[in-house]
């Protein structure tokens, strides 16, 4: 079973703004809107929780968020859609998704902003999840340390045996 952590939350502007300004940002103007999707990470790594925030502005007035009810978000990899959800947008708060990518690779995120049954705009963009110190690497290092310790212990015992029989 996939280890997916999804937390849909309502976060006040200050905490989300902090997350957004420190990480990756995807901004695009289309359909009369400016879509602004940001993260709290400079680099996406496997098995690390990342916070995405979704903002939509009217191109003519970027001082406040545009009126939308929800964002339909999908995340896909080379096998197909691995996660999809509706994120409901509260008034005067931001729409947030927390997610943990299971492995390295290239993913695609799509976000469709809706008001009722009306699709306002939709964007799709790539996400690159890099290696870093992923869980599988930590396990390999741990196994090598264990093997090295075992070999060292065996070698020390052989040395002591030889020393006792010669001495």
């Amino acid at each position: 079973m996939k280890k997916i952590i999804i937390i849909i939350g309502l976060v006040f502007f200050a905490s989300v703004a902090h997350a957004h300004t420190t990480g990756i940002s995807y901004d695009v103007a289309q359909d009369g809107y400016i879509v602004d999707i940001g993260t709290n990470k400079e680099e996406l790594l496997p098995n690390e929780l990342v916070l995405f925030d979704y903002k939509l502005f009217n191109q003519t007035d970027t001082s406040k968020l545009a009126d939308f009810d929800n964002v339909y978000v999908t995340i896909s990899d080379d096998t197909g859609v691995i996660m999809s959800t509706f994120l409901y947008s509260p008034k005067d708060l931001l729409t947030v998704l927390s997610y943990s990518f299971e492995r390295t690779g290239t993913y695609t995120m799509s976000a469709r902003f809706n008001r009722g049954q009306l699709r306002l705009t939709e964007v799709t963009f790539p996400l690159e999840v890099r290696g870093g110190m992923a869980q599988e690497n930590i396990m390999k290092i741990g196994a090598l340390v264990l093997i090295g310790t075992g070999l060292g212990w065996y070698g020390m015992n052989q040395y002591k045996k030889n020393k006792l029989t010669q001495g």
Side-chain angles (χ1 to χ4, degrees):
M1 181 174 211
K2 292 186 177 193
K3 285 181 160 183
I4 298 175
I5 300 171
I6 300 175
I7 302 168
I8 303 169
L10 307 176
V11 180
F12 289 100
F13 180 75
S15 61
V16 174
H18 170 70
H20 184 83
T21 57
T22 60
I24 302 165
S25 182
Y26 177 79
D27 302 301
V28 66
Q30 68 180 34
D31 301 326
Y33 295 98
I34 297 173
V35 176
D36 182 3
I37 299 173
T39 70
N40 65 329
K41 302 284 184 180
E42 287 293 329
E43 183 176 36
L44 302 178
L45 300 172
N47 301 312
E48 282 194 9
L49 195 61
V50 61
L51 176 68
F52 292 94
D53 64 272
Y54 300 83
K55 298 183 225 172
L56 183 68
F57 299 95
N58 288 310
Q59 273 186 315
T60 56
D61 181 10
T62 59
S63 65
K64 61 182 179 182
L65 294 173
D67 184 29
F68 65 97
D69 297 328
N70 62 67
V71 183
Y72 178 65
V73 177
T74 61
I75 297 177
S76 306
D77 65 7
D78 55 351
T79 64
V81 174
I82 57 173
M83 191 282 303
S84 65
T85 189
F86 277 96
L87 304 173
Y88 290 91
S89 176
K91 299 294 179 212
D92 300 324
L93 297 174
L94 296 179
T95 306
V96 179
L97 169 71
S98 292
Y99 188 78
S100 177
F101 292 91
E102 196 170 295
R103 59 179 172 76
T104 60
T106 301
Y107 294 81
T108 302
M109 178 179 278
S110 294
R112 183 178 68 220
F113 291 81
N114 304 301
R115 185 180 320 120
Q117 298 297 318
L118 177 65
R119 180 187 75 69
L120 301 174
T121 191
E122 184 171 354
V123 294
T124 300
F125 55 95
L127 298 171
E128 189 66 33
V129 179
R130 302 197 189 285
M133 214 36 167
Q135 185 69 28
E136 60 267 13
N137 291 341
I138 293 170
M139 295 294 286
K140 289 175 187 175
I141 291 169
L144 288 174
V145 168
L146 187 62
I147 290 169
T149 302
L151 288 173
W153 179 81
Y154 178 77
M156 185 61 82
N157 281 339
Q158 291 300 319
Y159 173 77
K160 286 180 182 179
K161 280 183 184 178
N162 287 339
K163 192 172 182 180
L164 289 174
T165 56
Q166 292 175 356

